[in-house]
Amino acid sequence: MTAPSAFTVSRSLADRVACGRNARTRAPRSGHGVFETAPDRPDVIDVLERQSATRVSGLVPVRYGRMLESPFRFYRGAAAVMATDLGPLPDSGLRVQLCGDAHLLNFRLLASPERHLVFDINDFDETFPGPFEWDVKRLAASFALAGRANGFPAGVQNEAVRTCVRAYRDRMREFAGMRTLDIWYAQDDADVMRTLLASSMSRQSRRRTAEATARARARTHLQAFAQLTHLTPEGRRIAPDPPLITPLRELQDVTSQEEDKELQALLEGYARTLPADRRHLLRHYRLVDMARKVVGVGSVGTRCWILLLLGRDDDDPLLLQAKEAQESVLAAHTGGERYDNQGRRVVAGQRLIQTTSDIFLGWTHVLGLDGRGRDFYVRQLRDWKGIARPDTMDPALLNLFGRVCGASLARAHARSGDPVAIAAYLGGGDRFDRALAGFAQAYADQNERDFETLGEAVRSGRVVAAGQ
């Protein structure tokens, strides 16, 4: 089945406002503050193991090991668990293209095609249409967990959550009054944001955000090229760093003929999904190497490849990342249409809600060396990316980061959903903000219980975690 059509808003302004207000009957705003697990809630280990069944078996213990480093790390890997918990809850019915995994570390500094540094969502593995508040709830709970990890009291955690949700609500009200094209063109330029926020930042916060911006600009594809490759008798190739990076030529039972076939099939299928001008640009490069890479926390075990392409010579690189795309963890809980290619789903969702999609973003389907077909999406490996470090944030900086994350999420949702209806639903008061603070604390408690459940499963031998 093909991807669903765009979200169409064809009603009058008054009808859209009424739709948002009427949704309060379906799901009262204060009701979002309540979280109780369903009586038939699936066993959390079963949920995780179902995901693991389709992943590289040798990397699943690495995933569990990373999730056991802290409750916050567990949360990053447990999007499927939270989707299972959100599914039975009353929802607003106000649909957007969800990020699907909108925790705070999936918001970061990125390079736009015009070479501006912007702040935006970066991870779309789970993107899928659904109720707008699911993303807001996942983001809110991540701030509560980050505050707990830093040892902040509950009041400080709640303030960070309320700041984040208030920024979402205020920005959505702003978008509700804007022209449609102005919403589509809106973006969060990093330098402009820093200037606007400077008055509410301490001197130390201003210094740290300036340093983060500088680091992001230094994280270019050339830096990645220097770090990830080395010279060999055959020329520049990807340097092995097992088990995190394993060149395809070093994987067991892979002949040079099979390697060439795998490389070319992936690249050719991917190139067909690019616009004509990007295909022309890609033709200026030749593919010389490929390696398997272990990434993230929740993604560990999915197949991820680094592709090294060279242009004019060995000092003219293009590094691409091809990441396996499986069905979204939200798909079973939203009743939405399925996609004919999960890589296409990721790319379509990203282009819909991100303002600065990579010029090499595309997808493909590949028949693997094991004879099984798999979907992938492809993008540049690194290009001006800066990631937050919540463990180094004081309460003021955590609040500031909540503010920019909430506003950025509202921009993403306004592009795909109806900002007028969502703003009408949220209203001008802080009822939704306060409710989400309650939800965030309740879900953080549940997440910590699930974290302990995984630890017990490892101790009992039910599952294996690397390094445990």
Side-chain angles (χ1 to χ4, degrees):
M1 186 174 291
T2 58
S5 60
F7 298 90
T8 302
V9 178
S10 58
R11 298 162 296 178
S12 71
L13 187 63
D15 286 343
R16 293 163 67 187
V17 170
C19 175
R21 290 178 177 165
N22 291 339
R24 297 176 184 175
T25 302
R26 173 187 172 109
R29 291 166 296 172
S30 58
H32 291 297
V34 178
F35 173 73
E36 296 178 355
T37 57
D40 57 348
R41 185 186 195 234
D43 177 78
V44 65
I45 305 302
D46 287 344
V47 174
L48 296 175
E49 285 285 87
R50 280 195 295 272
Q51 278 193 304
S52 299
T54 60
R55 302 190 178 204
V56 178
S57 59
L59 296 179
V60 171
V62 177
R63 181 191 184 207
Y64 291 151
R66 291 184 177 184
M67 291 177 70
L68 283 173
E69 290 176 12
S70 70
F72 185 73
R73 296 275 280 185
F74 176 90
Y75 187 73
R76 290 177 59 188
V81 176
M82 191 167 191
T84 301
D85 288 329
L86 292 176
L89 300 179
D91 67 75
S92 67
L94 302 176
R95 291 165 66 84
V96 300
Q97 184 72 26
L98 295 169
C99 162
D101 191 15
H103 64 74
L104 62 88
L105 287 183
N106 279 337
F107 291 77
R108 61 186 66 181
L109 297 171
L110 304 165
S112 74
E114 298 78 21
R115 315 315 293 158
H116 297 150
L117 193 62
V118 298
F119 187 78
D120 212 332
I121 302 172
N122 182 63
D123 190 305
F124 300 89
D125 287 6
E126 309 300 346
T127 185
F128 207 77
F132 81 91
E133 67 269 20
W134 286 12
D135 269 353
V136 185
K137 287 181 173 181
R138 183 143 179 86
L139 181 58
S142 74
F143 274 94
L145 285 162
R148 291 185 181 194
N150 288 356
F152 299 157
V156 172
Q157 299 167 32
N158 290 340
E159 180 59 27
V161 172
R162 287 194 298 266
T163 297
C164 173
V165 179
R166 181 169 60 249
Y168 179 93
R169 180 170 52 81
D170 289 346
R171 189 84 180 278
M172 192 61 74
R173 286 173 65 85
E174 178 185 335
F175 284 127
M178 290 172 59
R179 297 181 178 90
T180 302
L181 279 179
D182 290 339
I183 295 172
W184 191 260
Y185 291 138
Q187 63 177 228
D188 296 325
D189 182 277
D191 293 326
V192 173
M193 286 174 58
R194 198 174 67 198
T195 300
L196 292 174
L197 295 173
S199 61
S200 61
M201 297 166 62
S202 66
R203 179 180 300 179
Q204 183 182 26
S205 294
R206 288 195 295 271
R207 175 181 58 79
R208 291 173 66 180
T209 53
E211 291 172 350
T213 300
R215 284 195 301 270
R217 287 196 167 99
R219 288 173 58 85
T220 66
H221 70 290
L222 291 176
Q223 184 197 53
F225 177 63
Q227 291 177 344
L228 297 174
T229 69
H230 64 168
L231 282 173
T232 72
E234 294 78 28
R236 181 69 69 166
R237 296 293 185 269
I238 298 171
D241 182 20
L244 300 182
I245 299 177
T246 308
L248 183 61
R249 62 186 178 274
E250 296 187 7
L251 293 176
Q252 284 187 328
D253 303 323
V254 178
T255 67
S256 60
Q257 183 178 8
E258 289 173 326
E259 177 183 338
D260 289 342
K261 182 179 178 181
E262 179 91 355
L263 289 170
Q264 292 306 318
L266 193 154
L267 193 63
E268 289 172 7
Y270 153 68
R272 288 193 292 270
T273 70
L274 296 176
D277 59 332
R278 310 297 163 81
R279 287 200 302 273
H280 178 80
L281 176 59
L282 189 65
R283 291 191 191 105
H284 288 274
Y285 294 90
R286 67 187 188 282
L287 184 61
V288 299
D289 203 8
M290 183 173 175
R292 188 173 69 191
K293 188 175 189 292
V294 179
V295 293
V297 178
S299 297
V300 173
T302 56
R303 292 148 186 87
C304 182
W305 301 95
I306 304 171
L307 285 71
L308 173 61
L309 298 91
L310 297 175
R312 182 190 61 192
D313 53 32
D314 277 6
D315 292 321
D316 182 19
L318 173 63
L319 278 167
L320 299 177
Q321 175 179 279
K323 190 175 181 184
E324 183 181 2
Q326 300 182 341
E327 187 174 63
S328 169
V329 297
L330 303 178
H333 307 286
T334 64
E337 293 186 74
R338 299 299 195 265
Y339 283 72
D340 56 0
N341 183 296
Q342 296 302 320
R344 182 180 180 183
R345 170 186 59 79
V346 172
V347 170
Q350 181 168 348
R351 288 176 176 166
L352 184 57
I353 63 178
Q354 188 186 51
T355 60
T356 59
S357 297
D358 178 53
I359 65 170
F360 286 106
L361 184 64
W363 71 91
T364 189
H365 179 84
V366 175
L367 188 65
L369 297 173
D370 59 359
R372 294 184 59 184
R374 294 184 176 88
D375 299 331
F376 289 83
Y377 68 94
V378 184
R379 64 182 180 183
Q380 289 189 75
L381 177 63
R382 180 189 300 170
D383 194 20
W384 282 19
K385 290 184 180 179
I387 188 168
R389 295 182 57 194
D391 57 308
T392 68
M393 294 180 181
D394 60 21
L397 197 53
L398 189 66
N399 272 358
L400 181 66
F401 193 61
R403 182 177 167 188
V404 295
C405 287
S408 183
L409 183 61
R411 175 184 42 72
H413 285 177
R415 288 168 62 94
S416 65
D418 184 351
V420 173
I422 295 173
Y425 176 83
L426 295 173
D430 66 351
R431 182 172 297 182
F432 186 72
D433 314 1
R434 290 184 284 109
L436 265 287
F439 172 86
Q441 290 295 338
Y443 201 81
D445 289 342
Q446 181 61 55
N447 180 80
E448 290 179 352
R449 290 192 291 270
D450 292 341
F451 170 75
E452 293 298 332
T453 298
L454 179 59
E456 178 56 35
V458 171
R459 289 188 291 273
S460 69
R462 182 178 176 186
V463 298
V464 177
Q468 301 297 312

